[in-house]
Amino acid sequence: GNSVTQMEGPVTLSEEAFLTINCTYTATGYPSLFWYVQYPGEGLQLLLKATKADDKGSNKGFEATYRKETTSFHLEKGSVQVSDSAVYFCALSDHGNNRLAFGKGNQVVVIP
Amino acid sequence: GAGVSQSPSNKVTEKGKDVELRCDPISGHTALYWYRQRLGQGLEFLIYFQGNSAPDKSGLPSDRFSAERTGESVSTLTIQRTQQEDSAVYLCASSLELAGGTQYFGPGTRLLVL
């Protein structure tokens, strides 16, 4: 079945540091890939997505590239801000059934 | 509509009671989904509705869980004889189309079963 694996544990870093959150997936077909973000006290929001291999999704300075050869969709940002503190979820959608399969999420804390 | 709305935002109930959770999708969205997020976990798919097609119920964890949707509007998720392990945030999402469509999430209902 479809599954998403995110790196374990929270991520704590200083403002203006480089952020990477790893995400790998297992899917039977050719899924669409997503990063969702949950800011404190708010609902889940779509951050970016990519629908086919080699596509790059980008938004708010965040980027992720759909890598079919490594089944990965790692999230990166070159210079984080305190306002980026949130929980980040990687997810995939199999076109066959459209349900989203989520990773466990990573808490990101950015310290001034 | 402005976005997906859910009610109530919080619900505390006693073990064994039934609860009903409501979701109003974005107007015009044909697909509607329910997910559950338990503490420290990712989201688990429960059920989805697409237009007038039979819903995909394959994610429902037990027969105590059921959901209904009238046409392309409101959906209700019902949990009968609640158990403590049902405590979670229940999230609803809707999307414009089925295949690969971006899902937009509501704020969730936080359910606590005592």
Side-chain angles (χ1 to χ4, degrees), chain A residues 32 34 36 38 42-46 49 51 89 93-105, chain B residues 33 35 37 40-43 45 48 56 58-59 91 95 97-107:
Chain A
S32 293
F34 305 83
Y36 279 84
Q38 192 169 32
E42 298 186 18
L44 208 60
Q45 304 174 23
L46 178 67
K49 73 175 186 179
T51 57
F89 293 93
S93 168
D94 187 325
H95 295 295
N97 59 35
N98 207 43
R99 67 176 68 177
L100 284 172
F102 283 85
K104 291 188 176 181
Chain B
Y33 314 80
Y35 294 87
Q37 184 179 20
Q41 302 294 314
L43 279 73
F45 166 81
Y48 88 75
D56 177 351
S58 59
L91 290 161
S95 70
E97 72 269 8
L98 177 59
T102 299
Q103 295 180 26
Y104 296 89
F105 284 80

Side-chain angles (χ1 to χ4, degrees), chain A residues 50-111:
Chain A
T51 57
K52 61 183 188 297
D54 300 324
D55 268 2
K56 177 186 287 187
S58 61
N59 186 24
K60 299 182 180 180
F62 289 89
E63 291 183 342
T65 301
Y66 189 141
R67 301 285 188 201
K68 187 168 178 289
E69 63 275 15
T70 53
T71 61
S72 65
F73 193 55
H74 304 321
L75 183 68
E76 297 181 336
K77 185 171 184 179
S79 177
V80 293
Q81 305 300 311
V82 173
S83 57
D84 294 325
S85 298
V87 182
Y88 292 81
F89 293 93
C90 186
L92 71 82
S93 168
D94 187 325
H95 295 295
N97 59 35
N98 207 43
R99 67 176 68 177
L100 284 172
F102 283 85
K104 291 188 176 181
N106 286 103
Q107 172 89 50
V108 172
V109 177
V110 181
I111 300 170

Side-chain angles (χ1 to χ4, degrees), chain B residues 6 10 14 17 24 26-27 48 51 54 59 70 74-75 79 84 88 96-97 99 106-107 109:
Chain B
Q6 293 185 244
N10 290 282
E14 294 178 348
K17 301 283 190 184
D24 281 272
I26 294 172
S27 178
Y48 88 75
T70 305
V74 171
S75 175
I79 309 174
Q84 289 181 329
L96 192 55
E97 72 269 8
T109 294

